[in-house]
């Protein structure tokens, strides 16, 4: 992904400035990094790169997260202790890491600095001794003046020059920082002690004083201490190491030992300071980042982490907007609410941490020692949750509970696989490694592909981010890709594995079929086809920065307002009851099941036909002449095939149409967003009337019901159908078998806009196959392509025999072809 912004000046080479340089270069922007010091270096103390920053760095795909884990120590426990060293509470952070999808790592600031500098590349232009004093802006550039007389120009200017930023001062006026009224000591030292286990982060809380110890690996420990005092004393602390030892003499012995082991020259005393949050950061082609924008007290440990977030979001905004000024304002809009929360939260927590009020300390320590575990973990996890790149649209924070619709898909899938499969044919040189590269990039793009569903024995399912794992890719040689589909439709996803897998089928040299399988819990026909397109597009341009597509909220959260809330559901259900009573007047007949099949054994098989060549063109011409949608003609032909199967040619059959409703949401979503946005409308359809007559009436009725959003109304009652757990499906299965809309159903997918060329490959035959699980008997997925009509009938093996399925789809094709005639016809296969 390359930005229309070609150049950037980044003033300040701290953590935020270095991350910005790496991220901007990843977006294709030339960067000049300006540092006022005589060399690029970092102070000698440590810090924690928390899960939110690790997840942000992963979006750059530069391996920075892996380098940090090698340079430091993964945080494994977080312990609150009393001054005497006794534990108030110990938290194993592995659960939090799993919830947030990335570990935290403690390391030396110098090591973080070096890793980020390496990620910028050897050819990064660095200007040392460059103390920015002023900037001026023109219509198409911004120029910075430095204290030594140098000037530099670029498309945009990023002020990452710390709490006393010169760029901020010009934008907002020069003011002194806001004092936090405590002093902080910081140091790094080689140290080991039985009280400090590997990966430990330990906080000792006292009265107006605290002490922290962090294992940073390789035999080193980062420690800090705080003392409540006046703003004046904090800014100019007059005492040395002996005073510090005296103040902590009665605390745990490891504290005295670690201070003693640290050379006095290595102990840095700093005042705790921040600034009130700004409502805007920059103007024109200039913006701020990190401490220049939102300096905060150290209580939440988010200073460096939020700067890393800033840098990644900034680069994404510049890479995805055509106008530099717009991109910078979008970046600020995305970051100001979160950083304001962090500034305010750090100050509020700092008051509690540094309090000298004895009554408040009793309450504080009591909550730490005995408070609700879930609340404590939630308070720890909230600031460490990566909010994503923050596109201006509804975004679901993860983890989150499954919605009712998502729970339905997940529950059904737990009983028997409910999968959705896409296939595209790729002609050209395509190998497994290239596909794996595309799959890896796709996983980084979509949070839902590094998410799993966790539940409490089938109750309370929730989406939880997990560490990124490779998507499984099978390699197969076969001339017929459909032979692999039955396997895909019946094979469950392994626990913890991505909810997508791939099969690369080589039909002949240079001819391949890419098959992707997902689950309806996160994907519908549009999603799974989009996945295929994205994999190939990402594989065709390897090495580019992959911008995240945020996980949207649950589908119900985006429903039009009349369908939200209890009142909306009640009105929708009332309309459904009236429509249902009308439909029953024709006494619709259902396709009968062949044999009993236990719910957990309901596996989907595929039978497939294609209409192409002159027959297909004649079919399209006939639909245009009769002003009837092709989908309605297929539905009429499906009803006729059902009448033939049931030997009831005059009966009406309820044909369930799967309506794709992304464009009908309160905030419409395009095909790149994950999720299942389809719902069923069942229409009683006569089997024996002339096909055009049936198709015309069907089209009119369906259009009317879609306009009334009957499909969304249907979803209003789905919660009443949910079994309590996947282990208790029998009652629901009986109801679905008797009256469910999946007895004879149809999904129509228009694939004519699917690209015919991606990279060096020719693309053809995009199709979708749908599983059924316990939802019903059969699903006909129709692909309306440029050159062919694909008819993929997924049916439950046993409820329908292969012979009946083949006869049913052959009868359907015969019915379609009966309305056209051509002097020369292509084969139906």
């Amino acid at each position: 992904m390359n930005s229309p912004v070609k150049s950037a000046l980044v003033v300040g080479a701290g953590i935020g400035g270095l991350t910005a340089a790496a991220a901007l270069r990843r977006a294709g922007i030339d960067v000049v990094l300006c540092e006022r010091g005589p060399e690029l270096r970092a102070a000698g103390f440590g810090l924690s790169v928390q899960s939110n920053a690790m997840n942000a760095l992963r979006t750059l795909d530069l391996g920075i997260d892996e380098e940090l884990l090698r340079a430091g120590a993964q945080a494994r426990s977080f312990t609150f202790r009393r001054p005497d060293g006794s534990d108030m509470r110990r938290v194993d952070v592995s659960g939090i890491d799993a919830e947030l999808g990335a570990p935290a790592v403690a390391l030396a600031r110098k090591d973080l600095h070096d890793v980020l500098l390496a990620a910028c590349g050897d050819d990064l232009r660095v200007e040392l001794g460059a103390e920015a004093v002023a900037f001026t802006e023109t219509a198409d550039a911004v120029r910075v003046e430095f204290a030594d007389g140098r000037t530099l120009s670029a498309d945009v200017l990023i002020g990452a020059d710390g709490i006393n930023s010169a760029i901020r001062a010009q934008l907002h006026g020069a003011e002194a920082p806001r004092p936090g009224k405590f002093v902080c000591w910081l140091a790094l030292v080689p140290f080991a002690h039985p009280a400090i286990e590997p990966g430990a982060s330990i906080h000792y809380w006292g009265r107006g004083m605290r002490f922290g110890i962090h294992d940073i690996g390789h035999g080193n420990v980062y420690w800090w201490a705080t003392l409540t005092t006046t703003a004046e004393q904090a800014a100019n602390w007059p005492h040395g190491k002996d005073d510090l030892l005296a103040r902590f003499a009665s605390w745990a012995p490891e504290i005295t030992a670690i201070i003693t082991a640290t050379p006095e020259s290595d102990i840095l005393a700093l005042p705790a300071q921040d600034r009130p949050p700004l409502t805007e950061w920059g103007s024109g082609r200039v913006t701020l980042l990190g401490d220049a924008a939102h300096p905060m007290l150290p209580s939440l440990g988010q200073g460096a982490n939020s700067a890393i977030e800033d840098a990644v979001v900034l680069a994404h905004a510049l890479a995805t907007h055509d106008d530099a000024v717009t991109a910078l304002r979008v970046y600020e809009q995305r970051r100001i609410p979160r950083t304001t929360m962090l500034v305010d939260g750090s100050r509020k927590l700092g008051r509690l941490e540094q309090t000298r009020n004895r009554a408040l300390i009793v309450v504080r320590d009591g909550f730490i020692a005995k408070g609700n575990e879930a609340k404590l973990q939630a308070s720890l996890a909230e600031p460490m949750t990566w909010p994503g790149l923050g596109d201006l649209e509804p975004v679901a924070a993860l983890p989150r509970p499954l919605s009712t619709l998502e729970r339905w898909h997940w529950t059904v899938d737990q009983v028997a696989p409910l999968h959705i499969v896409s296939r595209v044919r790729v002609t050209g040189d395509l190998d497994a490694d290239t596909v794996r590269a595309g799959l890896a990039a796709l996983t980084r793009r979509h949070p839902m592909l590094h998410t799993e569903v966790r539940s409490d024995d089938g109750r309370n399912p929730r989406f939880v981010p997990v560490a990124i794992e490779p998507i499984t890719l099978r390699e197969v040689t076969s001339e017929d890709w459909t032979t692999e589909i039955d396997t895909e439709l019946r094979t469950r996803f392994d626990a913890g594995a991505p909810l997508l897998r791939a099969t690369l089928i080589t039909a002949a040299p240079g001819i391949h079929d890419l098959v992707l399988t997902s689950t309806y819990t996160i994907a519908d026909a549009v999603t799974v086809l989009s996945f295929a397109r994205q994999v190939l597009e990402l594989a065709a341009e390897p090495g580019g920065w992959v911008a995240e597509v945020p996980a949207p909220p649950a589908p119900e959260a985006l429903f039009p307002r009349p369908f939200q809330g209890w009142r909306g559901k009640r009105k929708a259900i009332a309309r459904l009851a009236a429509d249902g009573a009308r439909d029953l007047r024709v006494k619709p007949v259902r396709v009968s099941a062949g044999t009993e099949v236990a719910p957990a054994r309901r596996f989907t098989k595929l039978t497939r036909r294609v209409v192409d060549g002159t027959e297909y063109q004649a079919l399209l011409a006939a639909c245009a002449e009769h002003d009837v949608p092709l989908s309605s003609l297929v539905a009429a032909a499906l009803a006729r095939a059902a009448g033939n199967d049931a030997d009831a040619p005059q009966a009406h059959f309820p044909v369930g149409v799967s309506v794709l409703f992304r464009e009908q949401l309160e905030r419409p979503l395009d095909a790149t967003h994950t999720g299942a946005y389809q719902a069923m409308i069942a229409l009683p359809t006569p089997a024996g009337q002339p096909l055009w007559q049936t198709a015309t009436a069907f089209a009119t009725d369906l259009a009317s019901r879609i306009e009334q959003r009957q499909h969304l109304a249907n979803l209003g009652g789905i919660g009443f159908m949910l079994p309590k757990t996947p282990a208790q499906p029998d009652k629901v299965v009986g109801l679905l078998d008797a009256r469910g809309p999946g007895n004879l159903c149809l999904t129509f997918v228009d694939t004519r806009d699917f690209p015919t060329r991606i990279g060096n490959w020719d693309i053809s035959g995009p199709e979708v196959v749908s599983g059924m699980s316990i939802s019903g008997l059969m699903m006909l997925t129709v692909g309306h392509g440029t050159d062919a009509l694909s008819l993929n009938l997924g049916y439950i093996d046993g409820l329908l025999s292969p012979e009946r399925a083949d006869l049913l789809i052959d009868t359907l094709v015969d019915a379609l072809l009966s309305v056209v005639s051509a002097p020369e016809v292509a084969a139906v296969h």
Side-chain angles (χ1 to χ4, degrees):
M1 181 181 299
N2 291 320
S3 170
V5 172
K6 299 304 180 186
S7 60
L9 289 174
V10 177
V11 175
I15 301 306
L18 283 170
T19 310
L24 290 168
R25 299 198 82 199
R26 188 67 164 141
I29 299 172
D30 291 331
V31 174
V32 179
L33 183 64
C34 305
E35 168 56 37
R36 66 182 177 185
E39 59 181 333
L40 292 181
R41 62 183 181 86
F45 50 88
L47 77 170
S48 292
V49 180
Q50 298 181 3
S51 299
N52 53 308
M54 294 288 273
N55 276 319
L57 290 170
R58 282 176 176 172
T59 68
L60 302 179
D61 191 31
L62 292 172
I64 298 174
D65 55 326
E66 299 169 3
E67 291 296 325
L68 295 183
L69 287 167
R70 281 191 283 270
Q74 181 174 338
R76 301 189 182 280
S77 63
F78 190 96
T79 303
F80 298 93
R81 288 181 179 167
R82 300 176 183 88
D84 64 6
S86 59
D87 285 358
M88 285 192 284
R89 193 168 204 149
R90 182 185 184 280
V91 179
D92 182 345
V93 301
S94 60
I96 296 176
D97 290 350
E99 291 276 330
L100 300 179
V105 59
L107 75 167
R109 181 175 286 263
K110 178 183 181 301
D111 290 336
L112 173 58
H113 185 278
D114 290 347
V115 169
L116 292 172
L117 184 58
C120 292
D122 294 337
D123 58 342
L124 172 68
R125 180 181 171 186
V126 178
E127 295 286 332
L128 297 173
E131 180 183 355
V133 293
F135 65 85
T136 55
E137 188 178 351
T138 64
D140 57 1
V142 60
R143 186 179 68 177
V144 179
E145 301 173 19
F146 298 93
D148 62 3
R150 276 179 288 178
T151 61
L152 292 171
S153 296
D155 293 342
V156 294
L157 168 63
I158 314 303
D161 46 342
I163 191 170
N164 295 308
S165 165
I167 307 302
R168 177 185 175 122
Q170 182 170 336
L171 287 165
H172 300 286
E175 293 183 0
R178 180 172 61 176
K181 298 184 180 179
F182 59 97
V183 64
C184 304
W185 293 273
L186 310 167
L188 261 177
V189 64
F191 188 77
H193 193 280
I196 307 170
E197 62 186 21
S201 290
I202 308 168
H203 287 199
Y204 303 77
W205 287 36
R207 180 171 177 255
M209 298 170 64
R210 291 182 304 127
F211 201 93
I213 299 174
H214 304 267
D215 172 39
I216 64 171
H218 314 289
N220 296 312
V221 167
Y222 157 53
W223 65 265
W224 52 264
T226 64
L227 173 69
T228 298
T229 184
T230 65
E232 293 76 16
Q233 273 208 320
N236 299 282
W237 186 251
H239 307 296
K241 177 177 171 178
D242 289 343
D243 175 79
L244 191 60
L245 280 167
R247 291 181 184 276
F248 286 95
S250 63
W251 287 45
E254 61 267 24
I255 293 177
T256 300
I258 199 170
I259 297 174
T260 301
T262 308
E264 184 162 11
S265 60
D266 291 347
I267 301 174
L268 181 67
L270 293 172
Q273 297 176 321
D274 68 359
R275 291 184 184 275
L278 296 168
T279 57
E280 57 185 29
W281 289 352
S283 66
R285 294 174 173 271
V286 183
T287 194
L288 302 173
L289 183 149
D291 282 350
H294 48 76
M296 60 190 70
L297 298 181
S299 300
L300 289 174
Q302 282 294 324
N305 291 280
S306 59
I308 290 170
E309 288 185 356
D310 288 348
V312 174
V313 175
L314 169 66
H316 175 251
L318 287 169
T320 53
H321 289 79
D322 293 333
D323 174 70
V325 174
T326 299
L328 294 183
R329 301 296 83 77
V330 167
Y331 151 70
E332 293 168 4
Q333 291 166 24
R334 293 174 180 176
R335 293 300 298 157
I336 286 174
R338 173 164 167 81
T339 55
T340 298
M341 179 269 290
L342 293 174
V343 171
D344 292 343
S346 295
R347 177 158 282 267
K348 181 178 179 181
L349 181 58
R351 286 195 293 266
L352 184 63
E353 290 171 334
Q354 295 299 133
T355 184
R356 296 181 54 82
N357 184 305
R358 296 184 187 277
L360 186 57
I361 289 171
V362 170
V363 175
R364 178 195 73 185
D365 293 357
F367 172 75
I368 292 173
K370 299 179 180 179
N372 179 274
E373 180 75 15
K375 288 184 178 180
L376 178 63
Q377 293 216 14
S379 67
L380 293 173
E382 182 181 13
M384 296 191 294
T385 301
W386 163 234
L389 294 164
D391 288 2
L392 297 180
E393 58 187 42
V395 174
L398 298 173
R400 69 166 173 83
L402 272 65
S403 71
T404 301
L405 177 57
E406 292 165 334
R407 278 187 63 203
W408 168 259
H409 289 137
W410 174 80
T411 301
V412 169
D413 187 56
Q414 297 304 295
V415 178
L418 181 61
H419 296 344
I420 183 81
V421 181
S422 66
R423 168 262 184 172
V424 294
R425 171 145 287 188
V426 183
T427 302
D429 186 13
L430 179 66
D431 57 32
D433 287 342
T434 301
V435 175
R436 288 191 183 95
L439 290 168
L442 184 78
T443 307
R444 296 192 300 274
R445 172 175 284 178
H446 293 286
M448 295 305 272
L449 294 182
H450 44 97
T451 301
E452 68 178 5
V453 179
R454 295 182 188 165
S455 69
D456 306 320
D457 294 326
R459 293 178 169 83
N460 305 316
R462 54 202 178 273
F463 288 119
V464 177
V466 295
I468 293 177
E469 296 288 342
I471 290 174
T472 300
L473 175 65
R474 290 194 302 132
E475 296 180 68
V476 176
T477 300
S478 175
E479 294 182 359
D480 183 5
W481 61 271
T482 64
T483 59
E484 300 300 319
I485 300 302
D486 290 351
T487 299
E488 288 300 316
L489 290 174
R490 68 182 295 138
T491 304
R492 299 179 184 276
F493 284 88
D494 294 334
L499 296 177
L500 180 71
R501 58 176 178 255
T503 305
L504 180 62
I505 303 171
T506 300
I511 300 176
H512 313 273
D513 291 299
L514 178 63
V515 172
L516 299 184
T517 305
S518 189
T519 163
Y520 270 103
T521 309
I522 68 161
D524 56 18
V526 172
T527 307
V528 77
L529 267 179
S530 175
F531 281 161
R533 176 175 182 166
Q534 292 176 66
V535 166
L536 293 170
E537 290 174 340
L538 293 166
E541 296 185 12
W545 180 35
V546 180
E548 182 181 276
V549 177
E556 295 94 323
L558 299 176
F559 278 6
R561 296 190 185 279
F563 295 90
Q564 292 189 10
W566 171 242
R567 290 184 178 179
K569 289 183 179 180
R570 185 174 60 186
K571 290 180 180 179
I573 292 171
R575 286 197 299 270
L576 283 178
D579 290 337
R582 181 189 65 186
D583 292 343
L584 288 174
R585 292 174 192 153
V586 298
K587 299 179 180 179
V589 174
R590 297 169 65 82
V591 176
S592 61
T595 60
E596 291 289 333
V597 180
R601 303 297 301 172
R602 295 196 175 186
F603 300 121
T604 307
K605 287 179 69 71
L606 169 67
T607 186
R608 174 178 180 267
R609 303 292 185 272
V610 174
V611 178
D612 56 12
T614 55
E615 284 185 329
Y616 182 47
Q617 298 307 317
L619 201 59
L620 294 177
C623 286
E625 181 182 349
H626 287 80
D627 195 23
V628 169
L630 178 59
S631 55
S632 296
L633 185 64
V634 174
L638 182 60
R640 178 171 294 183
N644 181 75
D645 173 83
D647 196 20
Q650 301 308 313
H652 286 67
F653 289 84
V655 175
V657 179
S658 187
V659 179
L660 300 163
F661 58 79
R662 287 170 185 258
E663 296 178 356
Q664 298 163 9
L665 297 171
E666 192 74 16
R667 296 287 299 273
L669 298 177
D670 64 25
T672 62
H673 288 87
T674 55
Y677 305 93
Q678 61 185 64
M680 198 73 69
I681 295 177
L683 288 77
T685 308
Q689 291 181 356
L691 215 58
W692 287 120
Q693 179 181 336
T694 302
T696 300
F698 186 95
T700 301
D701 192 8
L702 179 62
S704 174
R705 296 188 191 215
I706 290 176
E707 185 177 2
Q708 296 170 29
R709 303 296 190 256
Q710 187 186 97
H711 50 296
L712 299 183
N714 283 332
L715 295 179
I718 199 169
F720 300 107
M721 295 283 292
L722 270 170
K724 291 183 179 179
T725 71
Q728 301 170 294
D730 291 351
K731 183 177 179 181
V732 170
V733 171
L735 184 59
L736 289 170
D737 286 350
R739 293 189 291 170
N743 180 255
L744 185 70
C745 51
L746 165 71
T747 297
F748 194 87
V749 184
D750 191 338
T751 63
R752 289 175 294 177
D753 64 347
F754 203 92
T756 58
R757 182 90 177 164
I758 297 176
N760 295 321
W761 305 304
D762 291 324
I763 309 298
S764 60
E767 300 182 29
V768 176
V769 181
S770 175
M772 284 303 293
S773 184
I774 63 170
S775 295
L777 177 62
M778 69 181 83
M779 169 70 81
L780 178 68
T781 308
V782 182
H784 178 19
T786 303
D787 301 317
L789 184 74
S790 61
L791 301 158
N792 294 325
L793 182 66
Y795 63 95
I796 297 298
D797 190 20
L799 296 184
L800 202 66
S801 68
E803 294 76 19
R804 283 181 68 193
D806 283 339
L807 180 58
L808 192 145
I809 198 168
D810 284 338
T811 306
L812 184 152
V813 171
D814 289 344
L816 288 176
L817 297 184
S818 70
V819 302
V820 298
S821 60
E824 296 180 6
V825 296
V828 178
H829 46 85

